[in-house]
Amino acid sequence: MTFLCKEKNMSSFARTDDQGKFRLTSFVSFDGAPAGKHSITVSKAEAAKGATKEVDINDPTYDPLRLVEDAKVPAPKNVIPAKYADAKTTDLFATVTADTQTPDVNLDLKD
C-alpha cells in the first residue's frame, strides 16, 4: 500500500502482514508518514500459474538456456479491484496527524 500526500508531494509505503497490520515507511524503515491528508493505493499481486518451477540442475536434461525461454510467463495479476491501485481512482483516504504517523485505517475494498 502507498500513502500519497499531495500537499507535501510525498509518499509512504508499507506491506501488510497476514492480519492486515502495517507500518509506514517514508525515508527510513517504519518512520511513518508525514502529517496531512493522504490518498491510499492498494494492490496485491498473485503470480501467474506456472510462474515458478522447480529445477533440478542434476537432471541430465537440464538446459539453462531453456530456463530463460521458460521464464517468459504472464505478468502477475492484481487480485484487488483495479481502482484501488491507481491514485486517480482510489476512494481510500486517511488523515495523518503529527502524533500518529501510522493511523488506524479500515480498508473496505469493494468493486
Side-chain angles (χ1 to χ4, degrees):
M1 73 173 29
T2 305
F3 277 52
L4 305 156
C5 184
K6 286 184 183 177
E7 61 199 57
K8 294 191 177 171
N9 195 28
M10 293 179 67
S11 63
S12 306
F13 66 94
R15 286 187 173 195
T16 59
D17 65 16
D18 59 352
Q19 301 296 310
K21 295 181 189 256
F22 62 93
R23 291 173 58 193
L24 291 166
T25 295
S26 293
F27 299 104
V28 296
S29 295
F30 313 126
D31 62 345
K37 183 176 179 181
H38 295 255
S39 58
I40 304 170
T41 60
V42 181
S43 61
K44 179 178 179 182
E46 184 176 87
K49 290 187 180 191
T52 59
K53 184 173 145 182
E54 291 291 323
V55 176
D56 180 4
I57 62 171
N58 296 315
D59 184 329
T61 62
Y62 170 73
D63 179 359
L65 297 177
R66 177 156 174 117
L67 288 178
V68 172
E69 191 60 35
D70 288 348
K72 296 176 184 173
V73 296
K77 178 184 175 191
N78 188 1
V79 297
I80 294 175
K83 75 176 187 176
Y84 298 113
D86 188 333
K88 295 175 186 152
T89 57
T90 186
D91 57 5
L92 302 172
F93 297 94
T95 299
V96 177
T97 61
D99 60 333
T100 58
Q101 291 180 314
T102 303
D104 288 334
V105 177
N106 182 12
L107 302 176
D108 191 13
L109 308 176
K110 300 177 188 172
D111 267 331

XYZ file of all heavy atoms in Angstrom:
844
model
N 0.837 -1.167 0.000
C 0.000 0.000 0.000
C 0.876 1.221 0.000
O 2.015 1.183 0.462
C -0.951 -0.014 1.189
C -0.301 0.266 2.517
S -1.430 0.440 3.925
C -2.783 -0.552 3.514
N 0.328 2.314 -0.566
C 1.052 3.579 -0.619
C 0.147 4.690 -0.128
O -1.025 4.755 -0.505
C 1.503 3.882 -2.065
O 2.264 2.786 -2.555
C 2.341 5.134 -2.127
N 0.690 5.540 0.718
C 0.006 6.754 1.176
C 0.620 7.915 0.397
O 1.833 8.116 0.436
C 0.243 6.971 2.674
C -0.670 6.201 3.570
C -0.836 4.836 3.430
C -1.367 6.852 4.575
C -1.682 4.125 4.278
C -2.205 6.149 5.432
C -2.363 4.785 5.277
N -0.213 8.678 -0.313
C 0.260 9.783 -1.143
C -0.258 11.098 -0.571
O -1.468 11.320 -0.512
C -0.239 9.608 -2.573
C 0.119 8.264 -3.210
C -0.840 7.922 -4.321
C 1.536 8.294 -3.710
N 0.648 11.968 -0.161
C 0.291 13.263 0.406
C 0.575 14.335 -0.644
O 1.727 14.742 -0.823
C 1.079 13.523 1.691
S 0.606 15.045 2.523
N -0.465 14.781 -1.365
C -0.276 15.758 -2.436
C 0.229 17.093 -1.901
O 1.078 17.731 -2.515
C -1.581 15.974 -3.196
C -1.944 14.836 -4.087
C -3.183 15.156 -4.888
C -3.592 13.966 -5.730
N -4.825 14.211 -6.458
N -0.289 17.539 -0.747
C 0.090 18.858 -0.233
C 1.577 18.963 0.085
O 2.154 20.038 0.062
C -0.759 19.247 0.972
C -0.623 18.291 2.145
C -1.756 18.391 3.153
O -2.916 18.211 2.741
O -1.458 18.652 4.329
N 2.218 17.811 0.382
C 3.660 17.824 0.681
C 4.468 17.139 -0.412
O 5.679 17.020 -0.304
C 3.922 17.159 2.032
C 3.313 17.964 3.165
C 3.766 17.477 4.491
C 3.157 18.381 5.561
N 3.356 17.880 6.882
N 3.772 16.673 -1.456
C 4.421 15.980 -2.566
C 5.328 14.854 -2.055
O 6.491 14.741 -2.440
C 5.209 16.956 -3.436
C 5.573 16.345 -4.776
O 4.878 15.472 -5.269
N 6.669 16.795 -5.359
N 4.754 14.034 -1.158
C 5.495 12.924 -0.550
C 4.639 11.664 -0.554
O 3.408 11.743 -0.605
C 5.866 13.258 0.899
C 6.869 14.373 1.041
S 7.219 14.706 2.783
C 8.035 13.188 3.250
N 5.315 10.538 -0.458
C 4.596 9.275 -0.326
C 5.272 8.404 0.717
O 6.446 8.575 1.028
C 4.523 8.546 -1.666
O 5.803 8.212 -2.115
N 4.502 7.486 1.247
C 4.978 6.495 2.207
C 4.424 5.148 1.763
O 3.389 5.092 1.108
C 4.472 6.817 3.615
O 4.821 8.132 3.965
N 5.097 4.085 2.111
C 4.620 2.777 1.682
C 4.714 1.768 2.813
O 5.416 1.976 3.804
C 5.412 2.277 0.464
C 6.853 1.990 0.781
C 7.254 0.718 1.134
C 7.800 2.998 0.740
C 8.577 0.450 1.447
C 9.131 2.734 1.049
C 9.517 1.459 1.398
N 3.994 0.677 2.635
C 4.013 -0.409 3.621
C 3.536 -1.694 2.968
O 2.842 -1.665 1.950
C 3.121 -0.068 4.806
N 3.888 -2.787 3.591
C 3.318 -4.098 3.262
C 2.499 -4.515 4.457
O 2.913 -4.308 5.593
C 4.402 -5.135 3.016
C 5.087 -4.960 1.722
C 6.009 -6.123 1.482
N 6.540 -6.004 0.140
C 7.148 -6.973 -0.487
N 7.320 -8.134 0.102
N 7.600 -6.802 -1.702
N 1.370 -5.129 4.202
C 0.554 -5.611 5.307
C 1.008 -7.011 5.699
O 1.522 -7.767 4.879
C -0.943 -5.654 4.935
O -1.109 -6.518 3.812
C -1.459 -4.270 4.598
N 0.797 -7.335 6.984
C 1.071 -8.707 7.418
C -0.200 -9.532 7.212
O -1.181 -9.037 6.656
C 1.579 -8.737 8.862
C 0.562 -8.264 9.883
O -0.654 -8.176 9.573
O 0.969 -7.981 11.024
N -0.188 -10.773 7.647
C -1.355 -11.638 7.428
C -2.580 -11.212 8.225
O -3.681 -11.686 7.980
C -1.012 -13.109 7.685
C -0.506 -13.365 9.097
O -0.264 -12.395 9.837
O -0.353 -14.539 9.460
N -2.402 -10.275 9.163
C -3.529 -9.732 9.928
C -4.000 -8.391 9.351
O -4.921 -7.783 9.876
C -3.120 -9.527 11.395
C -2.659 -10.782 12.094
C -3.769 -11.806 12.205
O -4.862 -11.479 12.645
N -3.507 -13.029 11.795
N -3.329 -7.904 8.311
C -3.686 -6.628 7.707
C -3.024 -5.434 8.383
O -3.299 -4.292 8.037
N -2.134 -5.681 9.316
C -1.445 -4.582 10.013
C -0.254 -4.130 9.179
O 0.327 -4.906 8.428
C -0.999 -5.018 11.401
C -2.173 -5.335 12.305
C -1.703 -5.735 13.689
C -2.877 -6.256 14.479
N -3.384 -5.366 15.430
N 0.100 -2.849 9.331
C 1.204 -2.305 8.555
C 1.911 -1.204 9.329
O 1.372 -0.643 10.269
C 0.704 -1.742 7.220
C -0.271 -0.607 7.376
C 0.172 0.710 7.367
C -1.632 -0.840 7.527
C -0.711 1.767 7.509
C -2.524 0.207 7.674
C -2.062 1.510 7.662
N 3.146 -0.921 8.898
C 3.929 0.184 9.448
C 4.512 0.946 8.260
O 5.235 0.375 7.446
C 5.042 -0.347 10.353
C 4.469 -0.966 11.637
C 5.507 -1.647 12.488
N 6.576 -0.721 12.865
C 7.723 -1.122 13.399
N 7.953 -2.403 13.605
N 8.648 -0.254 13.720
N 4.175 2.219 8.174
C 4.578 3.028 7.026
C 6.046 3.423 7.065
O 6.622 3.630 8.133
C 3.721 4.289 6.957
C 2.259 4.045 6.583
C 1.429 5.286 6.869
C 2.146 3.648 5.129
N 6.619 3.548 5.882
C 7.996 3.991 5.706
C 8.014 5.146 4.720
O 7.411 5.060 3.649
C 8.871 2.842 5.158
O 8.923 1.808 6.136
C 10.272 3.307 4.824
N 8.723 6.237 5.089
C 8.907 7.375 4.184
C 10.367 7.517 3.776
O 10.696 7.543 2.607
C 8.447 8.678 4.842
O 7.050 8.662 5.047
N 11.254 7.650 4.764
C 12.676 7.831 4.490
C 13.519 6.675 5.020
O 14.431 6.212 4.356
C 13.181 9.146 5.109
C 12.473 10.349 4.556
C 11.515 10.999 5.292
C 12.766 10.813 3.287
C 10.859 12.109 4.783
C 12.121 11.913 2.754
C 11.164 12.562 3.513
N 13.230 6.238 6.230
C 13.900 5.084 6.825
C 12.829 4.126 7.316
O 11.686 4.521 7.549
C 14.849 5.484 7.992
C 15.991 6.346 7.483
C 14.117 6.182 9.095
N 13.176 2.897 7.498
C 12.196 1.870 7.855
C 11.298 2.271 9.011
O 11.784 2.655 10.077
C 12.902 0.564 8.212
O 13.563 0.053 7.085
N 10.004 2.206 8.753
C 8.951 2.374 9.760
C 8.931 3.753 10.417
O 8.498 3.888 11.555
C 9.032 1.276 10.813
C 9.191 -0.097 10.220
C 10.230 -0.919 10.606
C 8.304 -0.572 9.261
C 10.389 -2.193 10.053
C 8.447 -1.833 8.706
C 9.487 -2.640 9.103
N 9.373 4.795 9.711
C 9.349 6.134 10.291
C 7.991 6.819 10.154
O 7.805 7.933 10.600
C 10.453 7.017 9.704
C 10.318 7.226 8.203
O 9.551 6.491 7.554
O 11.001 8.126 7.677
N 7.019 6.153 9.549
C 5.671 6.705 9.440
C 5.494 7.557 8.205
O 6.300 7.526 7.282
N 4.407 8.327 8.206
C 4.059 9.191 7.083
C 4.007 10.631 7.561
O 3.742 10.886 8.733
C 2.705 8.777 6.514
N 4.235 11.590 6.666
C 4.129 12.988 7.067
C 2.684 13.350 7.386
O 1.757 12.755 6.834
C 4.638 13.749 5.849
C 4.410 12.829 4.701
C 4.571 11.441 5.254
N 2.511 14.325 8.267
C 1.152 14.775 8.604
C 0.487 15.355 7.363
O 1.129 15.990 6.531
C 1.223 15.810 9.718
N -0.812 15.101 7.233
C -1.581 15.637 6.107
C -2.609 14.643 5.628
O -2.729 13.537 6.155
N -3.370 15.052 4.611
C -4.382 14.175 4.011
C -3.709 13.329 2.935
O -2.980 13.849 2.097
C -5.516 14.984 3.401
C -6.601 14.104 2.841
C -7.782 14.893 2.325
C -8.819 13.934 1.768
N -9.967 14.628 1.228
N -3.959 12.041 2.994
C -3.326 11.093 2.073
C -4.388 10.320 1.296
O -5.383 9.871 1.864
C -2.491 10.072 2.849
C -1.331 10.660 3.569
N -0.049 10.508 3.122
C -1.254 11.401 4.698
C 0.776 11.127 3.951
N 0.064 11.672 4.920
N -4.150 10.146 0.003
C -4.915 9.152 -0.744
C -4.131 7.853 -0.616
O -2.898 7.859 -0.494
C -5.104 9.559 -2.204
O -3.873 9.744 -2.847
N -4.841 6.740 -0.598
C -4.216 5.436 -0.353
C -4.424 4.537 -1.564
O -5.551 4.386 -2.046
C -4.817 4.763 0.898
C -4.684 5.676 2.110
C -4.162 3.412 1.146
C -5.471 5.193 3.319
N -3.336 3.966 -2.048
C -3.447 2.961 -3.097
C -3.071 1.610 -2.509
O -2.231 1.521 -1.610
C -2.543 3.267 -4.309
O -1.192 3.303 -3.888
C -2.929 4.584 -4.960
N -3.732 0.571 -3.012
C -3.514 -0.783 -2.506
C -3.493 -1.740 -3.690
O -4.311 -1.630 -4.607
C -4.653 -1.211 -1.554
C -4.409 -2.609 -1.007
C -4.834 -0.219 -0.429
N -2.556 -2.671 -3.666
C -2.546 -3.719 -4.678
C -2.016 -5.003 -4.039
O -1.318 -4.965 -3.030
C -1.685 -3.333 -5.881
O -0.355 -3.136 -5.496
N -2.413 -6.105 -4.632
C -1.917 -7.403 -4.185
C -1.755 -8.267 -5.427
O -2.729 -8.571 -6.110
C -2.875 -8.073 -3.202
C -2.365 -9.432 -2.746
C -3.274 -10.086 -1.752
C -2.699 -11.442 -1.362
N -3.549 -12.152 -0.434
N -0.529 -8.627 -5.712
C -0.243 -9.406 -6.915
C -0.246 -10.895 -6.610
O 0.224 -11.323 -5.560
C 1.099 -9.002 -7.497
N -0.785 -11.633 -7.533
C -0.788 -13.091 -7.449
C -0.023 -13.610 -8.655
O -0.321 -13.216 -9.790
C -2.235 -13.599 -7.477
C -2.383 -15.078 -7.308
C -3.850 -15.472 -7.253
O -4.441 -15.684 -8.328
O -4.382 -15.544 -6.138
N 0.952 -14.448 -8.412
C 1.774 -14.970 -9.507
C 0.915 -15.760 -10.485
O -0.015 -16.464 -10.089
C 2.886 -15.848 -8.958
N 1.235 -15.623 -11.746
C 0.533 -16.376 -12.779
C 0.818 -17.864 -12.598
O 1.891 -18.246 -12.125
C 0.987 -15.912 -14.152
N -0.122 -18.685 -12.977
C 0.089 -20.127 -12.877
C 1.272 -20.528 -13.738
O 1.428 -20.059 -14.854
C -1.166 -20.883 -13.315
C -2.286 -20.726 -12.340
C -3.456 -21.595 -12.680
C -4.523 -21.353 -11.625
N -5.584 -22.276 -11.679
N 2.108 -21.358 -13.189
C 3.292 -21.802 -13.910
C 4.429 -20.800 -13.867
O 5.416 -20.951 -14.563
N 4.276 -19.737 -13.051
C 5.305 -18.702 -12.995
C 6.576 -19.187 -12.310
O 7.649 -18.693 -12.587
C 4.769 -17.464 -12.276
N 6.429 -20.151 -11.436
C 7.624 -20.703 -10.795
C 7.669 -22.201 -11.052
O 6.643 -22.858 -11.135
C 7.624 -20.440 -9.277
O 6.468 -21.036 -8.703
C 7.652 -18.955 -8.983
N 8.852 -22.706 -11.166
C 9.003 -24.118 -11.487
C 10.269 -24.622 -10.806
O 11.308 -23.967 -10.862
C 9.112 -24.244 -13.003
C 9.188 -25.625 -13.546
C 9.103 -25.543 -15.059
C 9.944 -26.569 -15.713
N 9.917 -26.466 -17.162
N 10.159 -25.742 -10.141
C 11.327 -26.356 -9.517
C 12.252 -26.891 -10.614
O 11.797 -27.485 -11.588
C 10.901 -27.508 -8.599
C 10.153 -27.060 -7.365
C 11.050 -26.309 -6.395
O 12.229 -26.670 -6.253
O 10.555 -25.349 -5.800
N 13.534 -26.643 -10.446
C 14.506 -27.094 -11.436
C 15.563 -27.933 -10.724
O 16.112 -27.527 -9.705
C 15.183 -25.878 -12.120
C 16.256 -26.347 -13.077
C 14.151 -25.033 -12.814
N 15.838 -29.083 -11.291
C 16.882 -29.965 -10.757
C 18.092 -29.854 -11.673
O 18.082 -30.350 -12.807
C 16.378 -31.403 -10.698
C 17.414 -32.381 -10.162
O 18.513 -31.928 -9.760
O 17.122 -33.584 -10.154
N 19.126 -29.165 -11.195
C 20.301 -28.971 -12.044
C 21.086 -30.263 -12.260
O 21.958 -30.319 -13.124
C 21.231 -27.854 -11.491
C 21.765 -28.224 -10.123
C 20.526 -26.523 -11.477
C 22.846 -27.286 -9.630
N 20.765 -31.307 -11.512
C 21.416 -32.601 -11.708
C 20.701 -33.460 -12.734
O 21.186 -34.522 -13.108
C 21.514 -33.352 -10.380
C 22.409 -32.617 -9.405
O 23.481 -32.156 -9.783
N 21.968 -32.485 -8.174
N 19.547 -33.007 -13.192
C 18.790 -33.735 -14.205
C 19.588 -33.715 -15.516
O 20.058 -32.663 -15.947
C 17.437 -33.049 -14.408
C 16.538 -33.795 -15.376
O 17.048 -34.454 -16.303
O 15.310 -33.686 -15.213
N 19.760 -34.858 -16.158
C 20.549 -34.893 -17.400
C 19.939 -34.050 -18.525
O 20.643 -33.664 -19.451
C 20.601 -36.376 -17.782
C 19.663 -37.079 -16.883
C 19.304 -36.179 -15.759
N 18.668 -33.727 -18.435
C 18.039 -32.903 -19.478
C 18.064 -31.413 -19.127
O 17.518 -30.596 -19.861
C 16.575 -33.339 -19.704
O 15.840 -33.136 -18.500
C 16.497 -34.783 -20.137
N 18.714 -31.069 -18.021
C 18.802 -29.669 -17.583
C 19.464 -28.826 -18.671
O 20.528 -29.154 -19.172
C 19.592 -29.587 -16.278
C 19.956 -28.174 -15.854
C 19.000 -27.315 -15.349
C 21.259 -27.704 -15.981
C 19.328 -26.027 -14.960
C 21.601 -26.422 -15.589
C 20.630 -25.585 -15.089
O 20.958 -24.315 -14.709
N 18.809 -27.712 -19.011
C 19.350 -26.810 -20.033
C 19.111 -25.374 -19.566
O 17.977 -24.888 -19.581
C 18.639 -27.065 -21.361
C 19.110 -26.149 -22.479
O 19.982 -25.290 -22.241
O 18.576 -26.285 -23.591
N 20.168 -24.663 -19.125
C 19.974 -23.304 -18.611
C 19.382 -22.348 -19.650
O 18.666 -21.426 -19.303
C 21.369 -22.869 -18.176
C 22.312 -23.849 -18.738
C 21.548 -25.088 -19.062
N 19.661 -22.553 -20.925
C 19.091 -21.691 -21.952
C 17.576 -21.886 -22.057
O 16.828 -20.944 -22.309
C 19.763 -21.929 -23.300
C 21.258 -21.588 -23.339
C 21.849 -21.927 -24.696
C 21.483 -20.134 -22.985
N 17.152 -23.082 -21.842
C 15.705 -23.347 -21.870
C 15.021 -22.654 -20.685
O 13.882 -22.209 -20.792
C 15.430 -24.836 -21.856
C 13.954 -25.121 -21.806
C 13.605 -26.456 -22.351
N 12.199 -26.658 -22.112
C 11.321 -26.798 -23.069
N 11.705 -26.788 -24.320
N 10.051 -26.972 -22.783
N 15.716 -22.556 -19.552
C 15.144 -21.864 -18.391
C 14.792 -20.431 -18.736
O 13.763 -19.912 -18.320
C 16.121 -21.881 -17.211
C 16.321 -23.200 -16.506
C 17.361 -23.039 -15.408
C 15.021 -23.704 -15.936
N 15.639 -19.771 -19.497
C 15.365 -18.399 -19.910
C 14.098 -18.360 -20.749
O 13.228 -17.506 -20.562
C 16.564 -17.811 -20.689
C 16.220 -16.458 -21.290
C 17.779 -17.726 -19.788
N 13.959 -19.276 -21.663
C 12.765 -19.327 -22.516
C 11.524 -19.648 -21.680
O 10.477 -19.038 -21.854
C 12.959 -20.390 -23.607
C 11.919 -20.355 -24.697
C 11.886 -19.023 -25.444
O 12.930 -18.392 -25.637
O 10.772 -18.624 -25.833
N 11.646 -20.584 -20.737
C 10.520 -20.960 -19.877
C 10.126 -19.835 -18.924
O 9.015 -19.806 -18.416
C 10.854 -22.214 -19.057
C 10.886 -23.475 -19.915
O 10.434 -23.418 -21.073
O 11.378 -24.495 -19.415
N 11.050 -18.927 -18.669
C 10.785 -17.842 -17.715
C 9.812 -16.805 -18.268
O 9.328 -15.960 -17.529
C 12.084 -17.171 -17.312
N 9.522 -16.865 -19.531
C 8.585 -15.910 -20.129
C 7.163 -16.322 -19.757
O 6.533 -17.123 -20.432
C 8.772 -15.860 -21.639
C 10.137 -15.332 -22.029
C 10.349 -15.367 -23.517
C 11.753 -14.920 -23.845
N 12.059 -15.102 -25.253
N 6.688 -15.773 -18.666
C 5.360 -16.102 -18.154
C 4.528 -14.827 -18.077
O 5.066 -13.719 -18.074
C 5.433 -16.761 -16.761
C 6.152 -18.091 -16.834
C 6.105 -15.851 -15.775
N 3.223 -14.965 -17.981
C 2.373 -13.779 -17.874
C 2.694 -12.967 -16.621
O 3.168 -13.501 -15.622
C 0.957 -14.361 -17.776
C 1.063 -15.775 -18.242
C 2.476 -16.200 -17.993
N 2.417 -11.683 -16.697
C 2.631 -10.794 -15.552
C 1.711 -11.194 -14.405
O 0.636 -11.771 -14.630
C 2.351 -9.360 -15.965
N 2.098 -10.896 -13.162
C 1.224 -11.187 -12.021
C -0.106 -10.452 -12.161
O -0.180 -9.386 -12.764
C 2.003 -10.661 -10.816
C 3.395 -10.493 -11.282
C 3.349 -10.266 -12.754
N -1.141 -11.009 -11.574
C -2.478 -10.430 -11.642
C -2.792 -9.745 -10.317
O -2.549 -10.306 -9.252
C -3.500 -11.538 -11.898
C -4.921 -11.043 -11.939
C -5.897 -12.187 -12.107
C -7.309 -11.663 -12.011
N -8.278 -12.723 -11.917
N -3.328 -8.524 -10.375
C -3.757 -7.822 -9.169
C -5.096 -8.429 -8.739
O -6.052 -8.432 -9.508
C -3.906 -6.323 -9.441
C -4.168 -5.538 -8.179
O -4.221 -6.084 -7.085
N -4.348 -4.249 -8.320
N -5.170 -8.942 -7.528
C -6.382 -9.617 -7.061
C -7.335 -8.672 -6.316
O -8.372 -9.100 -5.843
C -6.043 -10.846 -6.179
C -5.293 -11.886 -6.994
C -5.236 -10.448 -4.964
N -6.971 -7.399 -6.234
C -7.816 -6.374 -5.613
C -8.389 -5.527 -6.742
O -7.700 -5.300 -7.741
C -6.979 -5.525 -4.628
C -6.539 -6.401 -3.454
C -7.749 -4.307 -4.143
C -5.614 -5.724 -2.481
N -9.633 -5.046 -6.635
C -10.182 -4.213 -7.711
C -9.214 -3.111 -8.147
O -8.601 -2.428 -7.323
C -11.453 -3.627 -7.093
C -11.885 -4.676 -6.096
C -10.590 -5.219 -5.538
N -9.065 -2.945 -9.459
C -8.053 -2.063 -10.048
C -8.151 -0.617 -9.585
O -7.133 0.070 -9.506
C -8.143 -2.129 -11.570
N -9.335 -0.145 -9.247
C -9.461 1.268 -8.870
C -8.623 1.619 -7.644
O -8.211 2.759 -7.481
C -10.920 1.643 -8.633
C -11.517 1.137 -7.341
C -12.943 1.653 -7.182
C -13.511 1.320 -5.834
N -14.842 1.904 -5.660
N -8.331 0.640 -6.794
C -7.565 0.908 -5.577
C -6.056 1.003 -5.839
O -5.319 1.501 -5.002
C -7.832 -0.156 -4.520
C -9.277 -0.183 -4.096
C -10.088 -1.264 -4.378
C -9.841 0.894 -3.425
C -11.416 -1.278 -3.995
C -11.162 0.892 -3.041
C -11.947 -0.200 -3.331
O -13.262 -0.203 -2.957
N -5.602 0.542 -6.984
C -4.173 0.567 -7.296
C -3.744 1.875 -7.960
O -2.562 2.106 -8.153
C -3.813 -0.609 -8.196
N -4.695 2.747 -8.281
C -4.404 3.981 -9.006
C -4.777 5.193 -8.165
O -5.920 5.308 -7.706
C -5.198 3.975 -10.313
C -4.848 5.108 -11.247
O -4.407 6.180 -10.787
O -5.029 4.924 -12.464
N -3.835 6.095 -7.973
C -4.092 7.295 -7.155
C -5.208 8.167 -7.736
O -5.856 8.907 -6.998
C -2.812 8.109 -7.024
N -5.460 8.060 -9.036
C -6.510 8.868 -9.672
C -7.903 8.307 -9.428
O -8.887 9.033 -9.535
C -6.246 8.977 -11.170
C -4.986 9.736 -11.492
C -4.715 9.715 -12.982
C -3.371 10.354 -13.249
N -2.754 9.840 -14.448
N -7.998 7.024 -9.112
C -9.323 6.401 -8.992
C -9.642 5.865 -7.598
O -10.794 5.516 -7.329
C -9.470 5.256 -10.005
O -8.416 4.303 -9.798
C -9.407 5.779 -11.432
N -8.662 5.791 -6.716
C -8.927 5.254 -5.381
C -9.889 6.157 -4.613
O -9.885 7.374 -4.794
C -7.621 5.071 -4.571
O -7.940 4.417 -3.340
C -6.929 6.378 -4.284
N -10.719 5.556 -3.787
C -11.589 6.347 -2.913
C -11.210 6.117 -1.443
O -12.006 6.332 -0.544
C -13.064 6.047 -3.163
C -13.430 4.580 -2.994
O -12.550 3.782 -2.588
O -14.585 4.220 -3.268
N -9.966 5.698 -1.239
C -9.449 5.474 0.105
C -8.602 6.676 0.523
O -7.692 7.081 -0.209
C -8.593 4.207 0.140
C -9.276 2.920 -0.303
C -8.265 1.793 -0.392
C -10.409 2.560 0.643
N -8.916 7.236 1.695
C -8.202 8.408 2.198
C -7.975 8.266 3.692
O -8.741 7.602 4.389
C -8.997 9.690 1.931
C -9.195 9.961 0.470
C -10.346 9.533 -0.180
C -8.229 10.624 -0.268
C -10.525 9.763 -1.535
C -8.398 10.866 -1.615
C -9.555 10.433 -2.253
N -6.922 8.910 4.182
C -6.642 8.943 5.615
C -5.960 10.266 5.928
O -5.221 10.805 5.101
C -5.737 7.789 6.034
N -6.224 10.775 7.123
C -5.534 11.968 7.589
C -4.545 11.547 8.653
O -4.908 10.905 9.635
C -6.529 13.002 8.152
O -7.419 13.369 7.093
C -5.798 14.235 8.646
N -3.298 11.888 8.424
C -2.225 11.573 9.365
C -1.936 12.847 10.153
O -1.758 13.914 9.573
C -0.952 11.107 8.626
C 0.186 10.853 9.606
C -1.246 9.861 7.802
N -1.910 12.727 11.470
C -1.570 13.872 12.314
C -0.144 13.703 12.818
O 0.422 12.612 12.751
C -2.542 13.986 13.506
O -2.446 12.795 14.288
C -3.968 14.177 13.041
N 0.419 14.768 13.323
C 1.810 14.737 13.790
C 2.028 13.714 14.897
O 3.111 13.160 15.035
C 2.240 16.118 14.259
N 0.989 13.430 15.688
C 1.155 12.483 16.794
C 0.838 11.041 16.413
O 1.055 10.137 17.200
C 0.322 12.920 18.007
C -1.165 13.000 17.710
O -1.520 13.220 16.536
O -1.961 12.840 18.644
N 0.313 10.793 15.214
C 0.054 9.418 14.763
C 0.587 9.265 13.352
O -0.106 9.524 12.391
C -1.449 9.067 14.761
O -2.132 10.003 13.908
C -2.048 9.074 16.126
N 1.813 8.819 13.219
C 2.419 8.685 11.903
C 1.885 7.491 11.119
O 2.031 7.435 9.916
C 3.926 8.596 12.036
C 4.537 9.902 12.488
C 6.038 9.775 12.605
O 6.541 8.810 13.174
N 6.734 10.742 12.085
N 1.313 6.521 11.787
C 0.668 5.401 11.117
C -0.738 5.284 11.692
O -0.937 4.712 12.752
C 1.446 4.090 11.311
O 2.772 4.256 10.838
C 0.797 2.951 10.542
N -1.728 5.863 10.992
C -3.090 5.870 11.519
C -3.763 4.500 11.415
O -3.346 3.664 10.627
C -3.790 6.879 10.618
C -3.064 6.773 9.316
C -1.622 6.504 9.689
N -4.787 4.307 12.231
C -5.631 3.126 12.068
C -6.496 3.376 10.839
O -7.165 4.393 10.746
C -6.526 2.914 13.285
C -5.748 2.428 14.489
O -4.695 1.804 14.289
O -6.197 2.678 15.622
N -6.450 2.476 9.898
C -7.201 2.644 8.652
C -7.971 1.364 8.398
O -7.407 0.273 8.411
C -6.243 2.904 7.454
C -7.002 3.009 6.170
C -5.432 4.168 7.707
N -9.272 1.501 8.160
C -10.098 0.360 7.803
C -10.298 0.406 6.297
O -10.939 1.303 5.779
C -11.447 0.426 8.525
C -12.316 -0.769 8.214
O -11.850 -1.758 7.648
N -13.582 -0.677 8.556
N -9.696 -0.533 5.596
C -9.783 -0.568 4.147
C -10.871 -1.534 3.719
O -10.705 -2.745 3.789
C -8.438 -0.989 3.545
C -7.252 -0.098 3.906
C -5.973 -0.666 3.337
C -7.478 1.325 3.439
N -11.992 -0.980 3.302
C -13.123 -1.783 2.841
C -13.083 -1.770 1.322
O -13.537 -0.832 0.675
C -14.430 -1.184 3.375
C -15.611 -2.097 3.163
O -15.422 -3.281 2.842
O -16.748 -1.603 3.299
N -12.488 -2.799 0.738
C -12.243 -2.849 -0.708
C -13.411 -3.508 -1.421
O -13.626 -4.710 -1.293
C -10.938 -3.588 -0.987
C -9.714 -3.085 -0.219
C -8.514 -3.957 -0.501
C -9.422 -1.647 -0.532
N -14.157 -2.710 -2.192
C -15.324 -3.210 -2.928
C -15.214 -2.847 -4.388
O -14.642 -1.821 -4.736
C -16.606 -2.572 -2.376
C -16.880 -2.850 -0.934
C -18.121 -2.114 -0.498
C -18.315 -2.221 0.999
N -19.379 -1.371 1.480
N -15.785 -3.693 -5.235
C -15.852 -3.370 -6.678
C -16.767 -2.207 -6.911
O -17.703 -1.936 -6.279
C -16.356 -4.573 -7.484
C -15.199 -5.421 -7.994
O -14.121 -4.865 -8.220
O -15.418 -6.624 -8.161
